[in-house]
Amino acid sequence: MPPISRSRAVRERRDEVARRVLEAVHRLVADGTPYTELPVQRIAEAAGVPRSTFYLHFPDKSRLLIALAEQGGQGMFASAVAWWRSDHSTGPEGVSEAIARMIAEYRANRWVLLAVSELSAYDPDVAAYYQARLDRFTDLTRARLEEERRAGAVGHGLDSPTTAALLTWMVERTISMHCRDDDTGGDEQVARSLGRAIWLTVYGDSPRGSRGRSGL
């Protein structure tokens, strides 16, 4: 087999094993079993791969969880990014709609994101991953706030770095705590209330009467 074809075959094999492992975890937690209670042997058996093969792809369950979070958390992060990069002249309704999408994405991947939040309290690798993801969102938020401040769309006293950090943690904590159970009855109200809180924090003392600037 030519070198390029052999390399491709190895890569495809690795991708296939990783896919089977990730799908196996999704099946195993579907019955309500917490991720932290799943032993590696059970995951490997469900994926139909030897335990040794599992460790070739994922050195430990922390790395596996990070891979799952990367796969499952993209939609939630994308919804937030889309709002911060959009036209903010639509008022609180626009941010509430973005929060509603974030809540829906969180619920779709609830067990993964809750496990990340839990393990980040004591697992250094998961904590570093989680903090890096939050830092990326904070940086995006800070950049937009600085643009808005230079354009005169927000109050002159708004401190961009501090406000960006506060908004990031407010959104993360509110959604993660709200989505700890399966009851979706309060999702709409949480989205409206959180959206309004974010809007007022950013534009509440705007010299333009709480109107955001159109785009970046």
Side-chain angles (χ1 to χ4, degrees):
M1 181 181 293
I4 295 179
S5 298
R6 184 182 300 113
S7 175
R8 183 181 298 114
V10 170
R11 184 172 62 253
E12 290 177 352
R13 169 60 179 166
R14 290 180 63 87
D15 291 345
E16 171 64 14
V17 170
R19 181 188 64 79
R20 287 164 59 183
V21 169
L22 296 177
E23 289 179 352
V25 176
H26 279 284
R27 292 196 303 272
L28 290 170
V29 300
D31 64 358
T33 302
Y35 177 79
T36 52
E37 296 180 12
L38 285 177
V40 169
Q41 183 61 40
R42 186 179 176 191
I43 296 173
E45 290 175 355
V49 300
R51 185 186 178 99
S52 58
T53 301
F54 173 94
Y55 283 119
L56 285 175
H57 293 77
F58 305 102
D60 49 43
K61 282 179 60 183
S62 296
R63 294 293 179 179
L64 173 57
L65 180 60
I66 290 170
L68 288 162
E70 277 293 293
Q71 183 186 70
Q74 291 300 325
M76 181 179 171
F77 185 71
S79 296
V81 170
W83 183 75
W84 279 111
R85 289 178 173 170
S86 69
D87 178 357
H88 286 190
S89 64
T90 55
E93 294 78 11
V95 65
S96 294
E97 290 172 2
I99 294 297
R101 290 192 295 272
M102 292 177 70
I103 291 174
E105 290 288 346
Y106 195 103
R107 287 203 177 280
N109 301 277
R110 186 169 69 96
W111 70 266
V112 174
L113 299 176
L114 287 176
V116 169
S117 181
E118 178 185 348
L119 266 67
S120 66
Y122 56 85
D123 186 298
D125 291 332
V126 176
Y129 162 78
Y130 197 40
Q131 188 61 55
R133 166 159 282 193
L134 292 175
D135 286 346
R136 291 198 300 272
F137 181 69
T138 302
D139 290 344
L140 171 69
T141 303
R142 184 181 67 248
R144 179 60 187 257
L145 292 176
E146 289 173 353
E147 283 284 332
E148 297 286 65
R149 186 167 55 80
R150 286 194 293 269
V154 300
H156 296 298
L158 184 144
D159 180 82
S160 299
T162 303
T163 303
L166 291 174
L167 289 173
T168 297
W169 284 108
M170 179 170 68
V171 171
E172 190 279 337
R173 284 291 86 189
T174 299
I175 293 179
S176 63
M177 293 300 293
H178 173 66
C179 293
R180 284 188 175 275
D181 57 54
D182 292 323
D183 183 8
T184 62
D187 288 2
E188 184 178 349
Q189 184 58 54
V190 169
R192 285 200 304 267
S193 298
L194 185 54
R196 182 173 183 274
I198 293 169
W199 182 264
L200 290 175
T201 298
V202 177
Y203 298 113
D205 59 352
S206 169
R208 296 184 181 180
S210 300
R211 299 290 291 179
R213 189 166 64 89
S214 297
L216 282 172

